[in-house]
Every structure is written in structure tokens, then in C-alpha cells.
Amino acid sequence: MKSNYLLIVFLMFSTLGFSQNFDIGGTVKEKNSGLSIPGVNIQIKNSTKGTSTDIDGKFALKGISSGSVVVFTFVGYKTFEYTVNETNTNMSVTLLEDSKVLDEVVVIGYGSQKKKEVTGAVSTVDSKTLDVLKPVRIEQALQGTVSGVNVTSQSGSPGAALDIRIRGIATNGDAKPLTIIDGYIGELGLLNPNDVESITVLKDAQAAIYGSAAANGVILVTTKTGKKNSKGKIVYNTYTGFQETSRTLPILNATEYALLLNERYANSGSAIPYPNVSGFGKGTNWQDKTLSRGVPMISHDLTFSGGSDKITYSVSGSHIDQEGIVGESKSGFLRNTARVSLGADVTDKLKLKTNLIYTFFNRRTLPENSNASVLLNAVNAPSNLSPYDASGNFTVFPGGSLGNEMINPLAQIANTYNDYNFKQVNGNFGLDYKFTPAFVLSSNIGFKTANSESKSFSPILDYGSGKVFNTTRSSVSQNAVNDNNYSFDLFATYTKTIAENHKFVGVLGNTIYKEYGNGLFATGYDVPNNSWDYADIQLANGAPPVGTVPVGSYIYDERRLSYFGRLQYDYKGKYLLSAMFRRDASTKFGPGNKVGYFPSVTAGWVISDEGFFNESSIVNFLKLRGSYGIVGNDAIPNNGYISQLTGEATYVFDGTLINGRASGQIPNPNLKWEEAKKFDVGIDMNLFDNKINIVVDYFIDTRSDLLIPGIPVSGISGGQAPGASNPTINAGTVRNEGIEFAVNYNNKFSDDFNMSLGYNVTLLQNNVTYMGTPFIAGGSFGIGQQAPSRMQVGHSIGYFYGLKTNGIFQNQQEVNDAPSQVELGVAASPGDIRYVDVNGDGKISFDDRTDIGDPIPTATMGFNMQFNYKALDFSMYTFASLGNNMVRNYESVAPDANRLNYVLGRWTGEGSSNSIPRVTTAATTNNLFSDYFVEDASYVRIQNIQLGYSLNPNLTEKVGITKLRLYGAVNNLYTFTKYKGFDPGASNGAPIGGGIDYGFYPIPRTYMLGLNINF
């Protein structure tokens, strides 16, 4: 009997247990439109159980216990919580919009604000944009997506550096912005783009909280972290791509080349080199031989993330391998990254966070952007020469009239050997302690340790008689560099609300930053077997050439100590004020000038919250804001204020010459901070139920006390001696003035279709207003000519300085009537370029050089669109640069060099051409630097176009996949431009000397197929 009772009790409890677990399901919709919402995150509170809505907004969860709280979250909507039991298993949930544009949290440095409360010029790029663009380097995602930001490539070769300029170029020195990654100073180009949650750009005085390093603007990067109370999530992204050049230059084929060369020699009275051209045909297209097609690249990325109510985690790894379209593996790039992000609520008061990133990359390069450029040889090589001779060896190019610099580009690729390995570990460790809900003390330690090794090998080579690249001894150079830094931030945040309407947020703290490192360089001679396989200094036992020191080294140590404070105030959320102050001390300056003080203030007025601003169906939000502040810059080499023994000298001791040391750079004990005075006034506006967002800014950025190196001050001090140089002096002022306009439109038309459009434009005017020296020259053009770029008062920084042209002389009478050009080196003849007598002295000389172009665009803009129709998604990103010029410096002046086909329209007699001069081997002034070589480099580029398809979650969830998306994409699809060269958007990055095309490696067009999977 007892056993029967036990059985009854057991059955009762079993029935009760089963009755407490049930299944739930339902639909999630938008309250205003009634449309279903796909992708809503649904989580059982305090558990790892969860799911998301499908394309129709439906969801289902099994095994839910009575009294469980279901949490519905979706970006842009208010979080909704609902307690379930057995009677409400079929749910119909509606989510309310959460003023997504206004309540979005924006990182502003040592804190964050709701976008509604931000009083500075701040722009953000989110992870969704990064997912679409699929950039290899994350800097590429800023081009065309953020107003006021211009990104230029130094080369299209894999792994090449990119230059970011925020609101123009204001300094002749280091113009790159400060990058802060999760609170510590980092390098943007080393990040895996899939690890990034958001990028925030501080463009005005809002950046002053970062003081000395923020003169060029600040980029704040927030990496992805796990989410609390979320089940473990696995995300795998991969794509494979094939690359090709986006452009080739139209050069003359063999027949055209031979006929033109005959004409060139005939015009100079010389015998023609090719009396019979009937069998020449098209010959060799050296670009086709040099630029490969179908060049592979592949990317893999895997992330694990999740969290409980106390712990969050995110662990990721990535791999990308990309060969180059020139030389393939000889210009390849490989990058691996690994990242660990952890967050923990140790107690209710103490929070811990840490982020650790490991980066490794390997890069190989080919000669470019100089007279040694592979592509310069490919463009100028005669089409009637074959790549290989009868024996199968590389064809040796003749010297003399073909030039001593031009060599077979295929032989150059084969004989180029170099390797660069880079390893870096960086990260941070932070603690937040909440003494009270209003008072939080935060600390953060950031660090970086990086090591790089490089090796290059120069074999014994014979490119032909007299070629400058011939080598008679093999050599190997090996370098090792160690760079480190660390920072420590300690700051307190106090929040106080008085009388309900007065809100104060105060931040007070200090930062310690140190950067230090060393480098060692060595060269060995006579490599065994003249082979890359034996290229090692240990094996190269040859003595160095007489007078050569085969080793070198350096060491550096620079530090900053900073104190900062910020006070934010708002009244009823509509009157906003923020004041910041920073004190920086830097080892770059002498004892009297180490410390700089940098104040700033920003203010805002939310006009739409005023009582007189009646609720409007058109204008939903309107804010007026303004800012002014001073930010410092100390981006110069160390120890410029003291004299060091870095120069070379020879002394006589006891009648014997002894090599020794002498003073190097002439010291300047008065060196002080470069200062950026930033003014901005802007308007933020939302229209038509927040579907349209408009941002307008007018700004003035005045950079004073520019730190200009190499200004001549004394011939006696010996600034030109070996190893010596002229001092760095505060001697310049540059002003950038402009307007930014951005408009974005987002609308969900139905369950099946939504769309977003974005357009931004920046108008910029750059002007040098003061210099302590007449000018600074930079860049190079041709061989032996004077520098073509200048920084000078009354002009934009880095403008082109040369002769101005006025057509072509049509006959001898025009030559006789014009000012004489003989002072340029030789008298003009019919068919030569006519130069303008700018100074009106009746003759043409180098004194007539003037402003003939500007590498800085007057306008940049981006237009971006995204559409989603059912399971299909489409996106396109474009960028335009207008008003910038580029110097065409990739054409050889050698008489027998090939030419671009525009020369077919040359002057051949009176009236035949007034723009392209005659061809001749005789001496002329036609190759002097003039506006004939300066072109309009305006362009519009389709940066990315992508089409994707997502499988129905109802199908994929059966195998544990919550998302499966396939896509195809093309990067750098097409560039619309009149510029003749490979890339109108390329630059070597120099403020003075940028925009000169030495034969840029073109940015490849990439076709990609990709897959996104979430588990």
C-alpha cells in the first residue's frame, strides 16, 4: 500500500513538473505602421535561451517555464519585457520606436552622450556599413560615408598605407588624426574590420579633451563585445575574390611607336631609325604583361560571443591573404588577427573590462612611385621590344636614347626580393568603480608592443650597358625595429541633477603616455650563390665598400603628461553646454615650452523642445550647436630644441685625418606647441517622422605656430654639412574653411521593402596666411628639375608651382612676336609650347613660374544607397572628388621611350594642334614643368556594389543556423574621370609634394563571392 502512495505522489509531481514547461510563439510588429519586424532579438531573462524573429516577424521558443520574463530588443525600438504563463503562449507583440536617431549613444571621449545631447561635430559609421563595404583596411570605410573626411591611397598594392585627412590639410608635418581604440591609442590600419562595432569621428573642438594629439581630429573606435544575458553566438564570415586592374593606359602599339619615332628623328634632322615598319604590327603591350588578371584574395573571420548577467565575452580571429595585380606574390599581403574581449561585473560596484588584440602581417613590395617604378617602365617601354630574347632570357633594353633608368619591367619584378614581417600585441585593461550611482572612478591601462623584421636582397645584375640599376656585388640588408608604448588614464565622472531640470556631468582626470623603441640596420655584401635562398648577413662575408658604414641604429623615448577636465550642463535637455580644459606636457619641447594649455567650449540649443515650436508633422527635431577650442600638436622628431652629435666630421689629430662626429640639426630652444584653433557652428534636423536626417556645419580651422623643419637660418652654423640640417621653427599659419552637408533618408514601406539613402558633401578652401620663410618646396618632377610643389603665403598648402602655357607656336612669326624663351635653355620653334610672361618683363624665364594647380579638392562627396526586398538586399557606395589637380610625371623624357596615344594629336604643322607640342629629339623646353603636365583629377568612383540573399530562418534554424546570407560584390567597380593616369585619387600623402603621379600602382577592381553564417 505504501508503494501505491509513493507512486501516486510521484505521478502528481511529474504531472506538475511537465505542466510548468510549455512552448510560446507569436509575431512582433511595429506599433505605428503595424508592419512585422524581422531580426528582433528575443531572450528569456537570466538565461541563455533565446531566438530571433524570421522574415515575417514570427518566432517560437520551446520549454519555457511559467513566470519567465521574455525580453524583446531591436535596434531603434524600446526594449519590451513580458511575463508568460500557460494562458498566454500565443503572443502578439508591438514595439515602439525609440527615437533611434536621437537616443543613439555616441562616444565622445572619456564618456558618451545621447546623440540628442551632442554639441560638437561628430559623425559615426556603424558595423552595418562595414559589413557591406567589406574593406581590407578599415580606413576605406570612411571614404564617402563621413562628411569632412578624405581618404587617399598611397598605392593600390596590397597592404599599402592610407592617409586620412579630417577637414583638410592644416600642417606641413604629420597630418594624420589621433586614433583611440576602446580608450587607448592605436593604429586603425591594423584592425580586423569585422571586429569593429562603430567608428566615431570628432571633427571640431569636441576633440580638445584629447589635447596635444588631437589637432588633426580624433577617430574613436569601439570594438564588438558580448551582450549580457545572451546565449553563445558563433558568426562566420568568408569571401573569396579575384582582382584585376581597374585601368590601363592607352600606349602606342609597335607600328604607331615606330612611325612616331621616325617623325621625331626626322624633325631633328637625323636619320630615321625604322625605314620599314610594315612588319611591326601591334608588338608587345607591356601593361598586359605586367598587370595580371584573376589575382586571388581570400578572407575568413570567426567570432564567438555571448554573456550572462555578470560576464560578457567576444573572441575572434581573422585571416586575409591577397596577392597583387603587379607581380602577384611579389607584391602580396597576408594578415592574421586574434582578439579577446571580456567584461565582468565583479560586484555591483566594480566592473572590469579588457581587450587584447594580436596582429601579424607579411608584406612584399615592388618599386613604385619613382623613376624605378615597375609601372613607369611598363608604360614607357617600346612596344617593338619583346619580353624575352631568342634564348628565353629577359630582353635587355638598350641605353642611350632610351634612357639609363628604363629596364625590362618583367626582369625587374623577377629580380626584386624583399620581405617584411610585423607582429604586434596591444590592448587595454580597465576598471570602473561606482562609489555611488552618481560618482564613478575609471582607470584604463593601454599598451602596445610591436616588432618588425625586414630583409631585402640585391643580386648581381646586368640590365644593359650603362643602366643605373646594374649591380656588380650582391648585398643583403636586414632591419629589426621594436616600437612600444603605454598609457594610463585615471578619471572620475560625477553626475548630478538639481531641481529635476539642471543636469551636470563632470569629468576630471589625468593621462600618462610614453612611447619608446629602437631600430637596428645592417647590410652584408657578397651573398653566396647570388641567391635569395642564401640572403642572410651571417652568410654574406664580403667587406663593405671603402667609406661605407654597413650598420646603423636609433633609439627614442618620448612622453606626455596630461590633466584634463570637462563639465557638461543641460537644462531640461534643450540648453546644452560643455566646457573642456587640458594641460599637456611633452618631451618634444625645451624646459620653457613643455607645457601647453588647451581650452574649448561647445554649446547647443534644442529648438524643437521649445514651447513656441509647436509639434510639427514635418520637423521632428531641430538643434543649433556651436563650438570653439584650441588643440595642440607636437608631431615632430624628438630633441629639436637641443644640439646632438648626429652629424659627420673629419678632424686632424697628430697630422692624421680621423672620422668623428659633429653637431647635427641646428637646435631651436624656443620650439613650442603648434596650435589648432577650431570654430564650428552646425544644425541637426530630423524631418517627416525622423525618416530624414540633415546635418549642416560651417567650420574654420586655423593652424598657427606651424612646426616647420629645415628653415635656413645660418650659413655659418653649417646646416648643409653632412649629417647636419637646419632647425625646426614655429613659422607658419594655415586656414581651412568649409561647409559640410549630410542628408540621410530611411523608410520602411512594407514588410517586404525598405530603403535608405545617404548623401554628403564637403566644400573646402585651404590657404596659407603666414610663413616665417618665403616658401617651402617639395616633391619632384622629371630629372634634375626644381621642386614642383610649394607652401607659400596666399596659396593652398602644396600647390603646384611652374610655368603657365598659352597654346602652341604655329609659325615662326608667332615665335618672333612672343617674348623670348631662350633663358629657359633653348629658343622656341614652331610646334613648341608657348609660355606666358607672367611678370611682364618681356622675356620668359623661371621667374615666370606661378600657381598652376592645387592637389586639394574643393569638394568631396559621397552618395550611398541600400535596399531590402524580402530576402534580397542591395547596396551601392560612391565617392567623388572635384577640383583637385594631379601632375602627370610617369612619362619618360628619353627620346626613344613610348608614349600615350594622346600624342597622336600632336602638332605636325600650322593649325594641326594648339595643345600638344611637336615631337623631336632636338633640345626643347617642352619638358619643363608647366601646366601642360597638370591635369584635372576630378573623379566619381563606384566604390562598392553588393547584392545579397538571405535564406529563410525557418529553413536554416532546423540545422542550428540563425542566419545564412550569400552575396556577390564588386569593389572599385568604375572610376569616371578625365585624368590620363592610373588613379586620380592616389597621393603619396605628403602635404607638400602630394598629388604627383610617379606611376602609381592602380587600385584593383575586385569581384567577391561571400557567405555570412550565424549559429
Side-chain angles (χ1 to χ4, degrees), residues 10 30 198 238 244 284 369 688 698 850 954 973:
F10 174 76
E30 186 181 45
S198 67
T238 185
E244 64 182 20
T284 302
N369 297 338
F688 302 108
Y698 168 73
T850 186
N954 289 334
L973 177 64

Side-chain angles (χ1 to χ4, degrees), residues 252-267 272-278 280-281 384 898 903-904 906 919:
L252 301 180
N253 63 36
T255 302
E256 294 168 333
Y257 166 79
L259 291 171
L260 187 78
L261 207 63
N262 285 342
E263 181 182 329
R264 181 186 297 274
Y265 276 81
N267 284 344
I272 62 174
Y274 302 110
N276 183 6
V277 300
S278 60
F280 275 56
N384 65 333
N898 205 350
V903 78
L904 297 177
R906 68 201 175 280
V919 293

Side-chain angles (χ1 to χ4, degrees), residues 29 284 664 797 847:
K29 296 183 178 181
T284 302
I797 190 169
D847 292 336

Side-chain angles (χ1 to χ4, degrees), residues 144-163:
T145 59
V146 178
S147 62
V149 176
N150 191 18
V151 181
T152 57
S153 60
Q154 295 186 14
S155 168
S157 62
L162 295 164
D163 294 303

Side-chain angles (χ1 to χ4, degrees), residues 596-837:
Y597 301 95
F598 307 110
S600 67
V601 62
T602 66
W605 176 26
V606 182
I607 303 173
S608 54
D609 281 358
E610 293 289 355
F612 61 80
F613 195 94
N614 294 325
E615 186 172 341
S616 170
S617 60
I618 298 177
V619 181
N620 310 119
F621 176 75
L622 178 63
K623 178 175 66 179
L624 176 67
R625 52 183 167 73
S627 66
Y628 178 80
I630 301 174
V631 189
N633 181 32
D634 64 347
I636 57 172
N638 285 319
N639 305 313
Y641 62 94
I642 59 175
S643 180
Q644 293 183 299
L645 294 175
T646 56
E648 301 175 17
T650 302
Y651 301 91
V652 179
F653 286 99
D654 296 328
T656 303
L657 289 176
I658 303 295
N659 293 326
R661 290 289 184 181
S663 296
Q665 177 178 300
I666 297 173
N668 176 16
N670 298 317
L671 267 182
K672 62 180 181 179
W673 291 86
E674 183 176 296
E675 290 187 343
K677 300 178 176 68
K678 296 178 179 285
F679 168 79
D680 182 278
V681 60
I683 294 175
D684 299 336
M685 183 186 304
N686 293 345
L687 307 174
F688 302 108
D689 294 327
N690 295 311
K691 291 182 175 68
I692 296 177
N693 168 243
I694 297 174
V695 179
V696 183
D697 281 274
Y698 168 73
F699 64 88
I700 301 174
D701 187 343
T702 303
R703 191 72 60 89
S704 60
D705 290 325
L706 257 63
L707 295 161
I708 300 178
I711 294 183
V713 293
S714 171
I716 299 175
S717 298
Q720 305 303 316
S725 61
N726 287 304
T728 298
I729 292 177
N730 295 94
T733 302
V734 176
R735 173 187 169 102
N736 280 302
E737 180 179 6
I739 295 174
E740 295 173 4
F741 172 81
V743 57
N744 292 282
Y745 171 74
N746 292 277
N747 194 16
K748 184 172 182 178
F749 295 93
S750 68
D751 280 347
D752 295 333
F753 180 64
N754 62 75
M755 175 180 68
S756 64
L757 302 173
Y759 171 77
N760 65 79
V761 60
T762 303
L763 306 176
L764 180 69
Q765 183 177 6
N766 177 278
N767 189 38
V768 179
T769 60
Y770 166 75
M771 285 191 67
T773 187
F775 64 87
I776 299 175
S780 63
F781 179 82
I783 299 175
Q785 296 198 42
Q786 298 183 45
S789 299
R790 283 191 172 186
M791 177 180 177
Q792 189 173 6
V793 171
H795 304 269
S796 62
I797 190 169
Y799 80 99
F800 301 129
Y801 183 72
L803 296 168
K804 191 174 183 180
T805 66
N806 184 23
I808 305 297
F809 287 116
Q810 298 298 316
N811 51 55
Q812 188 60 44
Q813 187 60 48
E814 288 187 1
V815 175
N816 296 338
D817 294 342
S820 172
Q821 297 185 178
V822 71
E823 288 199 20
L824 296 177
V826 63
S829 297
D832 287 340
I833 294 175
R834 183 206 309 263
Y835 296 111
V836 176
D837 182 14

Side-chain angles (χ1 to χ4, degrees), residues 72-300:
F72 298 82
T73 57
F74 191 67
V75 176
Y77 293 82
K78 292 182 178 179
T79 299
F80 178 72
E81 295 186 1
Y82 191 76
T83 303
V84 295
N85 53 49
E86 297 91 332
T87 63
N88 56 1
T89 57
N90 188 17
M91 307 168 65
S92 179
V93 177
T94 56
L95 296 184
L96 296 172
E97 280 195 88
D98 196 20
S99 301
K100 52 188 173 183
V101 176
L102 304 181
D103 288 345
E104 176 187 349
V105 175
V106 177
V107 179
I108 58 171
Y110 302 105
S112 60
Q113 282 183 301
K114 288 184 178 180
K115 197 166 187 178
K116 177 181 179 180
E117 301 168 348
V118 172
T119 51
V122 178
S123 297
T124 302
V125 176
D126 59 21
S127 58
K128 292 181 180 179
T129 302
L130 298 174
D131 288 342
V132 172
L133 289 174
K134 293 291 182 294
V136 176
R137 292 176 63 102
I138 201 167
E139 300 100 311
Q140 297 166 320
L142 297 174
Q143 184 76 305
T145 59
V146 178
S147 62
V149 176
N150 191 18
V151 181
T152 57
S153 60
Q154 295 186 14
S155 168
S157 62
L162 295 164
D163 294 303
I164 302 175
R165 301 292 180 256
I166 298 176
R167 291 184 168 179
I169 301 173
T171 178
N172 60 294
D174 189 348
K176 67 181 179 183
L178 172 69
T179 300
I180 304 293
I181 302 172
D182 292 328
Y184 66 94
I185 296 176
E187 190 171 342
L188 202 60
L190 297 179
L191 283 174
N192 169 24
N194 284 325
D195 284 338
V196 175
E197 182 69 32
S198 67
I199 306 172
T200 302
V201 182
L202 309 182
K203 297 180 280 190
D204 66 344
Q206 187 89 49
I209 193 70
Y210 289 106
S212 61
N216 300 316
V218 177
I219 297 176
L220 303 175
V221 178
T222 302
T223 59
K224 293 177 180 177
T225 61
K227 308 300 181 186
K228 284 189 175 182
N229 297 313
S230 62
K231 64 179 180 180
K233 181 180 180 182
I234 302 175
V235 177
Y236 174 64
N237 300 303
T238 185
Y239 65 81
T240 183
F242 300 94
Q243 306 165 91
E244 64 182 20
T245 182
S246 57
R247 197 172 196 190
T248 57
L249 307 190
I251 58 177
L252 301 180
N253 63 36
T255 302
E256 294 168 333
Y257 166 79
L259 291 171
L260 187 78
L261 207 63
N262 285 342
E263 181 182 329
R264 181 186 297 274
Y265 276 81
N267 284 344
S268 61
S270 303
I272 62 174
Y274 302 110
N276 183 6
V277 300
S278 60
F280 275 56
K282 292 186 177 182
T284 302
N285 187 322
W286 288 97
Q287 291 178 91
D288 285 348
K289 299 294 183 182
T290 306
L291 292 161
S292 302
R293 296 180 181 273
V295 180
M297 67 180 299
I298 191 166
S299 173
H300 300 283

